[in-house]
Amino acid sequence: MSNVQEAVFHIGQTINRQMLTTPASNFQPEPISTIIERLNARVSANAARTAAMRTANA
């Protein structure tokens, strides 16, 4: 799965989860830009963790 496909999937999953847990009368989807920022932060954290593990194993 490409990075773009993974991002689109994650955005869809996040909005679906919000729709299932919020009453319809109150539903306001989180802005996609906020979801993308959170996804970018998670990707950066995973990359840093992977780099640290590689350094420790070298």
Side-chain angles (χ1 to χ4, degrees):
M1 184 179 296
S2 74
N3 290 342
V4 172
Q5 289 172 317
E6 193 169 337
V8 169
F9 175 78
H10 177 75
I11 291 166
Q13 289 291 91
T14 300
I15 292 172
N16 284 340
R17 192 175 328 105
Q18 291 171 356
M19 289 174 67
L20 291 173
T21 58
T22 306
S25 59
N26 296 337
F27 182 67
Q28 293 182 328
E30 184 175 21
I32 290 176
S33 59
T34 303
I35 298 170
I36 291 172
E37 286 174 15
R38 200 167 49 247
L39 179 60
N40 282 337
R42 190 164 60 195
V43 168
S44 295
N46 287 346
R49 193 170 337 144
T50 300
M53 287 172 32
R54 285 186 180 148
T55 301
N57 291 333

